[in-house]
Amino acid sequence: MSRPASSLYEPHRRIRVLAGPVFGAACFLATLTGVVVLSVLLGSIIATVLHRPGVHPWYDVASNTRDLYEFLKALVTRVRSRDPALAGFRIGIVGSLWLLVLVAVFAIPVGIGAAVFLEEYAPPGRLRRVIQTNIANLAGVPSIVYGILGLALFVRAFGLNRLALGPTLWAGGLTLGLLILPVIVIATQEALRTVPSSLRQAALALGATHWQVIRDHVLPVALPGILTGTILGLSRAIGETAPLLMVGAAGSILRLPRGPGDRYTALPVEIYNYAKEPSAEFSTIAAGGILILVVLLLSMNAVAIFIRNRYSRSVRG
Amino acid sequence: MSLPEIPVVSASSKVPAPSGVPAPSPAPAPVPPEAGPVLAAYHLSVWYGTSLALKDVTIEIPRNQITALIGPSGCGKSTLLRCFNRMNDLIPGARTEGVILCDGKEITSPDTDPVALRRRIGMVFQKPNPFPKSIHENVAWGARINGYRGNMDDLVERSLRRAALWDEVKDKLHRSGMDLSGGQQQRLCIARTLAVEPEVILMDEPCSALDPISTARVEDLMDDLKSEYTIVIVTHNMQQARRVSDMTACLMLDEDSRDKNRIGVIAEFSSTDLLFTNPKDPRTEAYITGRIG
């Protein structure tokens, strides 16, 4: 009755051998989609910037690069103007850097603190699960909602005029801080979870207190992950426009903010305002602003990668 | 707390007599006042959640000797070991019943500070787990967080010498402990434990991740250390138990619980020589002769 076992197999060898390269090619196409879209976007922005009368042909890379550099340098030093020849982003860049500092001062300690509490101290149970789920949900809330929240909470303080911050850098920084708080909390929690339990046990077995273990072992090992997540969160804050429009980053501010209590505008808001103008010259300026923003974001991410590599190396020895 | 009853497991000739009854010793050495068992568990049961892991264990660990815990997988050897420094507290849902004494003081009571206890009862783990810090810092950290006020460099050197590692690492104390070989890492972990001057060292299969040469070095080291420390070692390796230990406890799965829960009990506890040459319990005999395990 029993057939030889080998006749029960149908190897489909050709299909199996083909499946691998086909799957690999599909994945390669998926990767390519992202790369191509990004290159086209960046390329079209650069082309817009360079498309001014009397410029060099496209293949003259050296002159074009110099041109691009001169143009961006001019944009960085000039302030908002009705005249395209005099318009720039200086006020917005300074405003964005102010926001960056305020967001970092607020969101980093609060976010890391919340994550350490949730991972290390909070007793497991329903309450912790509810909080955890809500933080994950908050990370997905549209940024305009944070703008509305910031408007009600910080700018107007629910009508309590003495507490209201008005459309100041404080209000903008706190709003963006709230916006990226879930990102920092989640990234920090992930980083804390990667700390091996053998490390904690080793430290506890020497008679260390929970706090000593967190301070000397858990946080240092988790630091690269925490920093990476934090800087990615900060770069998200830098690129946000919608919530800043809600909390009053005005378009036409012509002087630098004198402090965090001052009115301000931010780089993405200025880009938005220039892009709204009908004339083509302003489109060029908006494209230049986008390039400045991209350079800012890329350098922040580069810092994140640098820090991560440096610390991972020192941890592994 | 109910007073511990007289231990049911017979102690062998190698165990120092319980305090109060002076041992008839031919040696003129004075018996220290704390000559009784340094660690003792009486009628100890451990639950993880609702499942019983260790049932009614009574054992007295003699001072300055090496006590081995052997037995098949899942019989609660590590659970018993981790009760002695209350590392089981860290596992959610773990619960103990019964009495554990360290130098006659109950350690399972809420008054006992596990942090202080763990300095006195050090632990070496199965997988070498040095801190991702320099060799010097690996040894110094435990002492520093425990408020050590002496000369740290001396302490580091002393501890590394005591763990037979000094000559191999003295020129690279600033290098990461992770750069060492597995056997060196395990000796670094022992040095780290010694640096906080414990009375007891618990070793949870300390050689199972090591090659035979490193294992031999760690075993030599254990023999060295027992003049100053009491060592309890969990091992899967019966030859190792036989080589290094003075006393051996053989743990077994409870007969009644073979089907579902794995409940560990002590089948036999006696001197290592006696246990391996003339086991009293048929289960011990079956285990050490390799018929079960």
Side-chain angles (χ1 to χ4, degrees):
Chain A
M1 273 321 226
S2 68
R3 299 192 313 176
S6 59
S7 70
L8 291 173
Y9 293 95
E10 287 178 43
H12 298 300
R13 198 170 164 278
R14 196 174 301 164
I15 299 176
R16 284 194 296 167
V17 168
L18 270 177
V22 168
F23 181 69
C27 292
F28 175 71
L29 278 179
T31 314
L32 208 60
T33 313
V35 174
V36 165
V37 168
L38 265 179
S39 319
V40 167
L41 263 176
L42 209 58
S44 74
I45 290 167
I46 293 175
T48 315
V49 171
L50 292 177
H51 186 71
R52 283 168 296 134
V55 292
H56 324 278
W58 65 270
Y59 46 81
D60 187 357
V61 175
S63 310
N64 277 326
T65 309
R66 191 161 18 86
D67 255 26
L68 188 61
Y69 175 73
E70 292 297 330
F71 179 58
L72 294 186
K73 207 170 97 178
L75 286 186
V76 170
T77 48
R78 291 174 190 154
V79 301
R80 181 165 173 81
S81 163
R82 303 293 316 161
D83 178 359
L86 297 174
F89 293 96
R90 178 139 179 252
I91 312 296
I93 292 169
V94 172
S96 279
L97 292 177
W98 264 109
L99 284 174
L100 189 65
V101 172
L102 292 176
V103 170
V105 165
F106 166 66
I108 292 177
V110 175
I112 293 178
V116 168
F117 175 77
L118 284 173
E119 278 304 303
E120 300 287 335
Y121 289 99
R126 178 189 293 249
L127 183 65
R128 188 177 134 174
R129 275 204 309 280
V130 168
I131 293 176
Q132 191 70 60
T133 313
N134 275 303
I135 289 177
N137 285 340
L138 280 178
V141 168
S143 58
I144 189 78
V145 177
Y146 282 97
I148 297 167
L149 175 72
L151 181 65
L153 187 61
F154 301 127
V155 180
R156 296 196 184 137
F158 303 111
L160 298 169
N161 285 333
R162 233 179 302 166
L163 293 176
L165 294 169
T168 58
L169 277 166
W170 281 123
L174 288 172
T175 306
L176 290 180
L178 280 186
L179 173 75
I180 65 163
L181 208 48
V183 179
I184 293 180
V185 172
I186 290 170
T188 305
Q189 281 188 292
E190 290 296 333
L192 292 173
R193 270 181 223 141
T194 60
V195 178
S197 69
S198 63
L199 194 60
R200 300 166 194 265
Q201 297 211 359
L204 287 170
L206 287 172
T209 62
H210 193 179
W211 153 240
Q212 288 169 324
V213 177
I214 294 175
R215 180 194 62 191
D216 290 350
H217 296 291
V218 175
L219 284 179
V221 171
L223 196 61
I226 295 175
L227 286 176
T228 310
T230 302
I231 292 177
L232 290 181
L234 287 178
S235 28
R236 175 163 175 213
I238 282 296
E240 279 293 344
T241 319
L244 289 180
L245 292 175
M246 292 300 297
V247 296
S252 48
I253 300 263
L254 297 175
R255 57 169 179 75
L256 295 175
R258 277 172 302 212
D262 211 350
R263 292 175 61 89
Y264 68 105
T265 188
L267 182 54
V269 176
E270 288 212 300
I271 294 170
Y272 174 71
N273 286 331
Y274 281 128
K276 277 192 305 187
E277 301 280 339
S279 80
E281 286 98 330
F282 280 115
S283 300
T284 309
I285 288 170
I290 289 169
L291 280 183
I292 294 172
L293 190 58
V294 167
V295 167
L296 200 62
L297 290 177
L298 286 183
S299 37
M300 283 178 70
N301 290 357
V303 168
I305 292 167
F306 174 75
I307 290 173
R308 189 178 52 203
N309 291 347
R310 222 192 106 173
Y311 273 87
S312 338
R313 213 174 308 134
S314 74
V315 164
R316 311 251 174 279
Chain B
M1 150 198 159
S2 62
L3 273 173
E5 292 171 33
I6 293 166
V8 290
V9 176
S10 64
S12 85
S13 55
K14 271 189 145 182
V15 193
S19 53
V21 187
S25 168
V31 177
E34 68 275 12
V38 55
L39 280 175
Y42 300 104
H43 303 295
L44 174 72
S45 296
V46 181
W47 280 264
Y48 292 122
T50 54
S51 63
L52 187 59
L54 207 57
K55 191 171 90 176
D56 198 25
V57 164
T58 294
I59 188 171
E60 291 184 330
I61 309 289
R63 191 175 298 273
N64 290 5
Q65 297 200 20
I66 299 177
T67 302
L69 307 178
I70 62 170
S73 297
C75 68
K77 305 181 293 289
S78 294
T79 297
L80 175 58
L81 195 71
R82 297 165 66 90
C83 282
F84 288 130
N85 64 347
R86 289 186 56 179
M87 288 299 272
N88 273 344
D89 288 16
L90 306 172
I91 300 170
R95 186 165 59 85
T96 60
E97 210 169 77
V99 182
I100 305 174
L101 302 180
C102 175
D103 283 332
K105 233 184 119 230
E106 198 183 356
I107 64 170
T108 39
S109 73
D111 309 337
T112 307
D113 178 12
V115 168
L117 178 77
R118 289 182 195 131
R119 189 189 71 73
R120 292 171 51 208
I121 304 180
M123 190 164 205
V124 177
F125 295 84
Q126 180 170 359
K127 210 172 145 247
N129 55 355
F131 300 129
K133 298 178 189 287
S134 72
I135 292 168
H136 183 281
E137 183 63 11
N138 259 282
V139 180
W141 187 77
R144 182 166 343 103
I145 54 132
N146 278 298
Y148 180 72
R149 277 179 306 195
N151 184 317
M152 192 59 87
D153 290 342
D154 287 352
L155 178 73
V156 169
E157 178 174 345
R158 201 162 64 237
S159 305
L160 286 169
R161 277 188 194 282
R162 206 76 190 78
L165 188 62
W166 174 252
D167 290 333
E168 291 157 65
V169 301
K170 62 184 174 195
D171 300 322
K172 47 178 182 179
L173 290 176
H174 61 280
R175 295 272 297 278
S176 170
M178 310 290 268
D179 288 351
L180 299 174
S181 74
Q184 291 174 322
Q185 289 190 4
Q186 196 62 301
R187 277 179 284 145
L188 179 61
C189 292
I190 293 172
R192 168 177 82 185
T193 305
L194 298 179
V196 298
E197 289 171 14
E199 295 161 43
V200 183
I201 303 171
L202 307 174
M203 295 185 167
D204 192 352
E205 300 188 39
C207 301
S208 65
L210 305 186
D211 62 87
I213 293 169
S214 305
T215 300
R217 301 200 64 159
V218 171
E219 286 178 6
D220 286 350
L221 176 59
M222 289 169 66
D223 204 52
D224 255 20
L225 292 173
K226 88 178 181 187
S227 59
E228 288 170 60
Y229 306 94
T230 305
I231 297 176
V232 187
I233 175 174
V234 165
T235 177
H236 260 116
N237 181 335
M238 276 176 281
Q239 280 69 41
Q240 181 173 56
R242 207 165 175 175
R243 278 195 302 268
V244 301
S245 72
D246 304 296
M247 300 290 295
T248 299
C250 183
L251 280 79
M252 279 290 146
L253 293 175
D254 195 12
E255 301 277 327
D256 314 333
S257 66
R258 279 283 160 78
D259 48 350
K260 257 173 106 187
N261 284 345
R262 304 178 119 191
I263 303 177
V265 293
I266 286 198
E268 189 164 355
F269 177 45
S270 65
S271 86
T272 301
D273 290 341
L274 209 60
L275 188 132
F276 279 97
T277 53
N278 189 13
K280 297 269 183 300
D281 191 294
R283 291 171 296 173
T284 312
E285 192 186 355
Y287 180 68
I288 62 174
T289 54
R291 269 184 282 136
I292 58 167

